Amino acid sequence: MELVSSTKCFDGLQRQYRHDSDVLNCPMRFAVYLPQEAEEEKGHKYPVLYWLSGLTCTDENFSQKAGAQRVAAELGIALVIPDTSPRGEDVADDPGYDLGQGAGFYLNATQEPWKQHYRMYDYVVRELPQLVEQNFPVSERRAIAGHSMGGHGALVIGLRNPERYTSISAFSPICNPIACPWGEKAFSAYLGADKSSWEDYDAATLVSRASEQLPLLVSQGEEDQFLEEQLKPHALETAAEASGYPLKLEHHAGYDHSYYFIASFIEQHLCFHADYLLKH
């Protein structure tokens, strides 16, 4: 694991690392924010919020734009932000922004030419936490959150692995990808024509089937340009109501899909997770 950069921020350290991923078969970058106490209090371990970013993003978007470090430092929570997909000259790609590099959709691809590298689900669920927990002063208490495509990833990963996380949250998530253009394009390419396999990565479907329920917060801007065609929060809400899943879905008038929206409510999301991460 190679340290790429390190910057002091709110008395903590914002760092970026590079490592060779066995799961993705390529080098990967990820970012970590650690409160200052992590450097001073030997033996102290911090709970972790994993943040998954959206289409076209890298690990740097959230680190630089969300303003999460101040609150994370105050609460005593570490942040881990992976890249959104495998990358490199040997990694399959597509001219569209919504497929290929930068658009991993946090799934395990089963189709050529994607399946050799596009296994972001396994990377986020297993490989990255193992790497982080072996190398940083963090505990096995994890929460997961994300935005847009990353919101989809956070919902799916949290819903499918409730034993691994304390709580889930998302900003403007793709809630019903099996029934929206972004999801249909990506799932067709990565998973193939058998649509029954798509349901494993559809949050609305997973909520309706969940046998274990985690605290779940979703924030959606009402001026989001992707709201009706791509995000479909009503599908998630309908599924939660039918199954009795404790979803807290908040609509925010005037807000769009941008990081201005995330920055406006990231403190609420971090405090939401802290209520569960910091319980002993």
Side-chain angles (χ1 to χ4, degrees), residues 43-276:
H44 183 83
K45 293 190 175 184
Y46 286 83
V48 181
L49 175 68
Y50 287 82
W51 174 274
L52 308 183
S53 296
L55 288 167
T56 75
C57 291
T58 69
D59 60 291
E60 295 180 338
N61 296 75
F62 182 79
S63 302
Q64 295 174 0
K65 296 180 178 181
Q69 292 92 342
R70 175 186 62 81
V71 184
E74 292 174 357
L75 294 171
I77 293 173
L79 306 173
V80 174
I81 309 108
D83 201 349
T84 54
S85 80
R87 298 182 193 269
E89 293 183 3
D90 297 328
V91 176
D93 200 6
D94 184 87
Y97 75 94
D98 51 358
L99 186 66
Q101 295 185 34
F105 271 85
Y106 303 101
L107 50 71
N108 289 337
T110 59
Q111 305 298 303
E112 296 288 357
W114 312 103
K115 66 180 184 180
Q116 290 88 346
H117 298 285
Y118 285 77
R119 301 187 63 82
M120 288 296 295
Y121 178 88
D122 282 352
Y123 178 73
V124 172
V125 173
R126 301 292 176 186
E127 186 179 27
L128 183 60
Q130 183 178 38
L131 183 70
V132 168
E133 289 160 17
Q134 288 175 347
N135 289 280
F136 300 99
V138 302
S139 71
E140 294 183 358
R141 292 190 67 78
R142 317 173 194 95
I144 192 162
H147 171 237
S148 194
M149 178 188 73
H152 141 77
L155 293 175
V156 166
I157 287 171
L159 289 166
R160 287 180 57 175
N161 300 276
E163 75 286 354
R164 293 184 63 82
Y165 303 97
T166 63
S167 46
I168 311 166
S169 78
F171 289 86
S172 316
I174 305 171
C175 296
N176 194 201
I178 63 175
C180 79
W182 278 339
E184 290 169 357
K185 178 179 179 178
F187 288 9
S188 294
Y190 295 141
L191 302 174
D194 180 7
K195 293 189 176 182
S196 64
S197 67
W198 298 10
E199 295 179 355
D200 289 339
Y201 299 102
D202 185 83
T205 301
L206 294 171
V207 158
S208 69
R209 299 174 177 176
S211 58
E212 187 174 343
Q213 298 175 337
L214 294 181
L216 174 55
L217 170 65
V218 172
S219 296
Q220 177 62 60
E222 292 185 353
E223 297 302 316
D224 192 315
Q225 64 268 42
F226 304 113
L227 177 58
E228 296 302 327
E229 183 180 28
Q230 303 283 12
L231 306 181
K232 301 184 181 295
H234 60 276
L236 185 69
E237 189 170 35
T238 299
E241 289 175 352
S243 63
Y245 199 102
L247 165 68
K248 185 177 183 181
L249 175 58
E250 296 186 346
H251 294 270
H252 296 279
Y255 286 92
D256 61 14
H257 199 70
S258 71
Y259 265 83
Y260 294 112
F261 176 42
I262 298 171
S264 298
F265 296 98
I266 191 62
E267 182 168 2
Q268 177 199 8
H269 279 241
L270 287 171
C271 290
F272 165 78
H273 289 295
D275 284 344
Y276 306 100

